[in-house]
Amino acid sequence: MSNPYGQQPPYGQPGRQPNPYGQPQQPYGQPQPQGYGQQGYGQAPQQGYGQYGQQQWSPPPPARPSLRRFGMPVVTMDVVPGRETADVLGPVVSVVARTRELRPDLRNAGVVEGYTAMLTDSRQDAIAKVVDMAREAGADAIVGLRFDCSEITQSLSEVVAYGTAVTLAPVADAGAEQAAPTSSF
């Protein structure tokens, strides 16, 4: 069998034709070799080691959520432990609307970790706004903090934080009571 380029199939491999441009063809079902750092269109990047034996860089996971301090007691209970409520100022509410799409800094961390970090941030931001509203009203604390979440549109969701703004009774000075002299008569 002859071909127009004058090359013959390799010995022992009938029907396998060499590439007329000098590069050997791979049998069907085996990956085609790629050039320097190239990958096929629409294929996932190769994992493992990159060029020159260096491991490919992967972004660090998002920071783990940590406790935020808000400058006033914010509790899910109906009272602040160890304090008496002097006055109820009223309900405080905040709404945080966020896109349901992962932020760029969270996309490479994995879907579950990325959404967990984003939802935690949304709730903490909603608490911060409730605290600002309560502070403006003259509150000392927020009791009965609750959350509500819902979908606004296919691409937007909301996190609502709400509670009751209260003022607290002054703490009785326990040291002054003990320092008062008692009569022994």
Side-chain angles (χ1 to χ4, degrees):
M1 166 193 312
S2 67
N3 67 37
Y5 302 105
Q7 298 175 344
Q8 298 297 322
Y11 181 76
Q13 296 181 3
R16 181 170 174 207
Q17 297 290 324
N19 187 323
Y21 301 107
Q23 297 177 347
Q25 290 181 329
Q26 298 292 326
Y28 290 110
Q30 292 191 8
Q32 297 292 323
Q34 301 293 329
Y36 288 102
Q38 295 176 351
Q39 64 188 41
Y41 180 75
Q43 295 177 357
Q46 296 177 0
Q47 298 297 321
Y49 292 93
Q51 194 173 12
Y52 307 113
Q54 296 176 355
Q55 189 170 6
Q56 279 187 320
W57 178 83
S58 62
R64 292 185 57 160
S66 61
L67 179 67
R68 261 199 212 173
R69 302 275 182 193
F70 295 104
M72 75 168 53
V74 179
V75 295
T76 58
M77 300 174 279
D78 292 331
V79 295
V80 175
R83 299 290 302 268
E84 287 187 34
T85 300
D87 192 19
V88 174
L89 300 177
V92 285
V93 179
S94 76
V95 177
V96 174
R98 296 278 162 89
T99 179
R100 295 175 68 189
E101 192 174 303
L102 278 176
R103 297 187 320 239
D105 62 319
L106 299 175
R107 288 184 186 151
N108 294 326
V111 175
V112 174
E113 293 85 4
Y115 276 113
T116 300
M118 189 171 73
L119 290 171
T120 302
D121 287 345
S122 295
R123 282 170 171 74
Q124 288 182 337
D125 291 347
I127 294 172
K129 286 184 172 187
V130 163
V131 167
D132 289 343
M133 185 179 193
R135 189 173 286 126
E136 288 174 10
D140 297 321
I142 298 172
V143 296
L145 180 74
R146 303 287 186 268
F147 290 104
D148 188 20
C149 301
S150 64
E151 180 180 307
I152 299 172
T153 66
Q154 288 183 344
S155 61
L156 277 177
S157 63
E158 69 174 349
V159 174
V160 179
Y162 59 95
T164 303
V166 298
T167 57
L168 301 174
V171 177
D173 191 9
E177 291 175 7
Q178 293 177 356
T182 57
S183 65
S184 55
F185 298 100

